[in-house]
Amino acid sequence: MERSPSKRRDVLPEGWWSAETCWSLDPDECTFELSDEAKARIETCHAFLLSKAGQGDVLYGINTGFGDLATTVVEDLRGLQRNLLISHACGVGEPLPQEVVRMMLLLKVKGLSQGHSGVALTTVQRLLDHWNANVFPVVPEQGSLGASGDLAPLAHMVLPLIGMGEVKMPDGRRLPSGEALAELGWEPLELGPKEGLALINGTQMMLGMGMVALKRIGRLAGWADAVGAWSLEAWNGLEAAMHPSIHAVRNHAGAILSSHNIRAWIAGSARVAQPRSYVQDPYSFRCMPQVHGASRDVLEGVRTVFEAEMNAVTDNPLVFPEEDLIVSGGNFHGQPLALAMDRLALAVHEWASMSERRTFKMLSGQRGLPAFLAADPGLNSGYMIPQYTAASLVSHNKQLCTPSSADNADSSNGQEDHVSMGANGALKMWKVLGHAEQVLAIEAMCAAQASDFRSSDVAMAPALAGLQTSFREVVPFLEKDAVMAPLMAAAKSWLVSNDPHQAGAAC
């Protein structure tokens, strides 16, 4: 397949990848090739593996069965690897988002290129060919226990290498892989010793979901502070709880950052500067830095785990040519990611939980605002029922936040007797994140409505006025009751597609 002339050609980055490195790689902009160093590592390791396989030693997954069949010696080494992919492609459910599959593929290339997996260079190159051609496998979302890695999802991801499974073409068509390979002019690969096992052992499904989500969650953290500040001003809340001295004496980095952000959003607000007869706000306003900040701190901890895993080798057995060693271990076990997914889901939920409480307060008919933010309460219900939706989503998140990592299942006849359930944790975290984005979007609708009711009042903070103007381009002031679902969808789309500082004014 010819390379698009509009794409740059670049070498896949070597060394330690940060989250930003991973996010910056875009198949729509660049085609990538392996560095000479990576090619040398892969070829050296592959040659060493072949020499060992030819010596007659019993080597797990190379000339034996898998799991509880590890003691069964197999002579048909190539058939063994092909059968592994076919038998393990047992995924069910909806296809994973393509952005996740793209990340999975990239992370698999990163792991294999470190030269401890024993695969052929042609195999790694074919994965990179899929990336460069924007031809991505269709991968069902469910089926992984997160123990020997993400066996079922990764089996679906690599089936196209042998001409099986299904892919999504650049023009959106879903094709059987055999047809797609013929259209691309690619021959199916014949896998050598250990290659199938190296391809499907690993944590790339749960890590891929986590890496895509991490970028969204970083933006959500900014929106939580921005929308919280918007509501604080609209509800005539107090600035005092954001004072830097309060947070300095507790010294949690996340709270210090969140309080700084909220102060920046409300800077210059004549509304916030007005004298009040009350001295404290409810916790959902007063404790924003402490709660938002605690979630920020979890986010940073999870990022550290994800970056370590992104730069790791997570298949089995591992090959160390320089030590004349092939050794079985457990790097494929998803426990580090499973615990991180559970923490991440809970952190995201807390942003939504606080947001729904602020929405509830703004509808209470207090502090000079009409009940339910309706222009004519009684005839109109205003924002009464969007708050129901927010409460429903938050309640669902509470149920989803039950830790997946606390569960276990015995598999492979007891050989795999502790599993991480990290893939289930990733799927639940993904759903929690989508709910949280909608809950914050509903709060933004209420903050904008409340701000408009104070339009004859003193001036908004300049940064918040920028948010108000941007938001009103997609969601109008609610003069009378209307069908709310499209407005709520528009609000969510506005929130997830914008950086808060770009939507408003830079802090």
Side-chain angles (χ1 to χ4, degrees), residues 220-405:
L220 186 73
W223 273 117
D225 292 341
V227 175
W230 199 355
S231 298
L232 180 75
E233 184 193 69
W235 201 55
N236 273 346
L238 301 167
E239 184 181 11
M242 312 303 149
H243 197 285
S245 296
I246 294 174
H247 305 286
V249 297
R250 199 176 192 188
N251 199 31
H252 286 297
I256 290 171
L257 179 56
S258 282
S259 65
H260 167 79
N261 289 345
I262 294 167
R263 290 196 309 274
W265 279 109
I266 61 177
S269 172
R271 296 181 182 180
V272 171
Q274 293 179 106
R276 313 291 162 79
S277 60
Y278 41 88
V279 296
Q280 288 188 343
D281 287 325
Y283 287 0
S284 55
F285 291 92
R286 194 190 340 158
C287 300
M288 278 193 287
Q290 289 84 356
V291 176
H292 292 190
S295 290
R296 282 182 174 274
D297 289 339
V298 169
L299 183 60
E300 288 306 304
V302 167
R303 177 189 175 110
T304 299
V305 173
F306 284 1
E307 289 187 339
E309 192 79 350
M310 188 195 329
N311 291 282
V313 182
T314 59
D315 64 275
N316 179 65
L318 295 179
V319 185
F320 300 91
E322 68 282 1
E323 300 178 53
D324 190 28
L325 181 65
I326 299 176
V327 61
S328 289
N331 275 9
F332 48 55
H333 201 290
Q335 193 70 8
L337 296 179
L339 291 169
M341 294 298 175
D342 287 338
R343 294 170 58 214
L344 200 54
L346 190 56
V348 171
H349 161 70
E350 285 302 310
W351 277 310
S353 179
M354 285 281 275
S355 172
E356 185 276 329
R357 291 290 80 196
R358 292 190 296 266
T359 292
F360 182 85
K361 291 295 190 297
M362 285 188 285
L363 304 185
S364 64
Q366 301 177 46
R367 299 195 177 180
L369 293 171
F372 304 109
L373 300 176
D376 186 4
L379 175 63
N380 294 302
S381 295
Y383 279 89
M384 179 190 294
I385 308 305
Q387 185 268 328
Y388 285 32
T389 301
S392 173
L393 293 174
V394 168
S395 178
H396 193 186
N397 279 356
K398 293 174 188 176
Q399 298 154 22
L400 292 170
C401 283
T402 300
S404 295
S405 57

Side-chain angles (χ1 to χ4, degrees), residues 41 116 155 158 180 182-183 186 198 201 273 288 318 320 365 403 491 493 496 500:
R41 289 193 301 268
H116 294 291
V158 299
E183 188 173 310
W186 299 350
N201 268 179
M288 278 193 287
L318 295 179
F320 300 91
S493 178
V496 300

